[in-house]
Amino acid sequence: MPLDPSPLNSLGLPKPPSETRVVVAMSGGVDSSVVAAMLKEEGYDVVGVTLQLYDHGAALAKKGACCAGIDIHDARRVAEEMGFPHYVLDYENIFQEAVIEEFADSYLGGATPVPCIRCNERVKFKDLLETAKDLDADCMATGHYIQRKMGPNGAELHSATDSNRDQSYFLFSTTPEQLDFLRFPLGHLPSKEATRELAAKYGLAVADKPDSQDICFVPDGNYAGVIEKLRPGSAEPGEIVHADGRVLGQHNGVIHYTIGQRRGLGIGGLSEPLYVVRLDVDKKEVVVGPKEMLATRTIPVREINWLGDKPLTSRTEWHVAVKVRSTRPPREAIIRPISDTEAAVELITPEEGVSPGQACVFYDPDSSRIFGGGWIWRGY
């Protein structure tokens, strides 16, 4: 088959920007606004889309969240300033069913869920991506700090240049098919300051807008308060128990505790610092113990999305680096596949505070490439 003689544009497509339609997922923040403005200035046929994920009227009072009422207004304003169409899609029901309900059930099960990953996986990179295709887009661009690079076997997922802004932990479940259609124009930038400089260059009103904080539907980080609203009566009292069996106190609901927590346990007067080492939902027990009990070496992982060139099960072992929390650097590990979607991950150096419900993301130790990841699923 002869090679296509058409030169590739900046998005890697073989046609002029003016003939390339790009749907930009606009959250109303500075990052996605810069992406839209940048592509519009380059001459692309830009269409902005913002998702209304929950009641934006109530969200107006919530600062520092994404997809809230003020953010929809800001996204629309950027589109008007830059002169491209903008649509707001009501995804409240989809978001409720695909993200919020699972978040509540997972939390009640003693896990520490990461709903932002599910939102990317089940809403933004699934339903929104299909909407982009329905709009005859050639690709969809987002403001995520991650890189898409072409390798010998197709598109690869790579960490952002700025490790402080890298969002690979939240995007490990991006499939090869999605990666073919997605673009991440900010992943190569050296810093967030560079993004804000671009926003100022384009004269965007959001240039100095603060970054979103916490989970968008969890005001002030009060997870337990949200769970109690979603599942009334779920915060049942129980005992705080030492790992050696001693009852140390009472609690007013397992949902108020997370693995690794030390402060706010309500069991003062002890000679040693104690941490939450396990949550026993069936017994309504918060189990505490010394810090060394938090150390975990072997992690069972399931629902794996594998992005390597060869199948996960093509080897008995994969020597990689893994992240078990978004705020921690990748650590040396060995993946031992059980099936195409399940594996045991051995950490060369034990990690503290590994919790079911969190993600375990796989990295190439010799490059910036991401090999996918999965969900930590059993209690410790």
Side-chain angles (χ1 to χ4, degrees):
M1 180 181 294
L3 294 176
D4 188 335
S6 304
L8 299 179
N9 58 34
S10 63
L11 294 176
L13 297 166
K15 52 183 171 179
S18 61
E19 298 176 14
T20 305
R21 175 165 291 178
V22 186
V23 164
V24 179
M26 300 182 68
S27 67
V30 63
D31 299 323
S32 57
S33 295
V34 165
V35 168
M38 177 193 305
L39 295 175
K40 177 63 178 177
E41 188 182 67
E42 290 180 22
Y44 287 95
D45 177 11
V46 173
V47 178
V49 174
T50 301
L51 302 183
Q52 179 188 316
L53 297 181
Y54 52 91
D55 182 59
H56 65 287
L60 282 169
K62 167 77 170 87
K63 294 183 178 179
C66 72
C67 308
I70 189 65
D71 297 308
I72 293 173
H73 169 78
D74 287 343
R76 182 181 291 118
R77 183 176 176 183
V78 168
E80 290 174 352
E81 290 173 351
M82 298 302 299
F84 59 82
H86 174 259
Y87 301 98
V88 178
L89 304 180
D90 183 354
Y91 273 38
E92 279 193 43
N93 290 338
I94 293 172
F95 187 67
Q96 179 77 27
E97 295 168 6
V99 180
I100 296 180
E101 295 297 333
E102 184 189 83
F103 170 82
D105 292 340
S106 181
Y107 218 87
L108 287 173
T112 307
V114 192
C116 298
I117 298 176
R118 290 301 196 193
C119 182
N120 289 325
E121 173 188 320
R122 297 176 176 177
V123 181
K124 294 177 182 175
F125 290 178
K126 182 175 179 288
D127 294 287
L128 178 56
L129 191 144
E130 289 305 315
T131 297
K133 291 180 178 179
D134 290 342
L135 291 171
D136 294 325
D138 295 286
C139 62
M140 185 173 91
T142 80
H144 288 107
Y145 287 88
I146 196 166
Q147 296 189 81
R148 173 190 183 274
K149 297 182 178 182
M150 291 305 296
N153 295 291
E156 300 174 351
L157 202 62
H158 286 254
S159 299
T161 297
D162 180 4
S163 60
N164 293 321
R165 305 297 305 182
D166 177 60
Q167 292 176 291
S168 57
Y169 184 85
F170 301 99
L171 297 169
F172 79 85
S173 60
T174 306
T175 67
E177 294 75 24
Q178 292 168 344
L179 199 54
D180 284 340
F181 194 70
L182 289 164
R183 300 295 187 272
F184 310 106
L186 302 185
H188 69 286
L189 294 182
S191 66
K192 181 60 179 264
E193 288 68 32
T195 304
R196 293 195 183 279
E197 288 172 7
L198 285 171
K201 169 189 169 184
Y202 299 130
L204 302 181
V206 296
D208 297 319
K209 186 175 180 177
D211 290 342
S212 60
Q213 302 292 328
D214 300 320
I215 299 169
C216 64
F217 60 90
V218 184
D220 305 319
N222 183 8
Y223 294 6
V226 170
I227 300 302
E228 287 179 304
K229 288 182 180 178
L230 291 169
R231 301 286 190 274
S234 60
E236 298 182 78
E239 294 179 333
I240 300 175
V241 181
H242 194 285
D244 63 14
R246 288 177 290 151
V247 176
L248 302 179
Q250 304 292 314
H251 66 76
N252 59 356
V254 171
I255 62 172
H256 295 282
Y257 299 85
T258 57
I259 302 295
Q261 179 179 338
R262 177 186 174 188
R263 300 183 183 277
L265 300 182
I267 50 171
L270 299 171
S271 59
E272 61 173 341
L274 295 175
Y275 300 77
V276 176
V277 298
R278 190 172 72 255
L279 298 172
D280 192 324
V281 176
D282 294 333
K283 295 182 179 179
K284 302 181 181 64
E285 288 182 348
V286 174
V287 183
V288 299
K291 189 175 184 179
E292 53 265 27
M293 288 192 68
L294 288 171
T296 301
R297 181 180 291 277
T298 303
I299 307 171
V301 179
R302 63 182 179 184
E303 291 185 62
I304 291 174
N305 177 55
W306 180 250
L307 296 174
D309 294 331
K310 296 180 180 179
L312 177 63
T313 53
S314 65
R315 296 184 193 175
T316 56
E317 290 186 352
W318 293 84
H319 290 255
V320 297
V322 303
K323 270 190 184 185
V324 293
R325 289 283 180 100
S326 63
T327 54
R328 297 181 183 177
R331 303 290 177 83
E332 188 179 0
I334 299 171
I335 304 172
R336 295 188 174 91
I338 297 170
S339 69
D340 289 335
T341 58
E342 198 169 338
V345 175
E346 180 186 349
L347 303 172
I348 303 306
T349 302
E351 285 264 10
E352 295 176 350
V354 175
S355 174
Q358 295 282 302
C360 180
V361 181
F362 313 145
Y363 297 82
D364 182 352
D366 301 316
S367 74
S368 60
R369 188 174 179 185
I370 297 137
F371 285 144
W375 295 94
I376 302 168
W377 66 275
R378 204 157 48 211
Y380 296 93

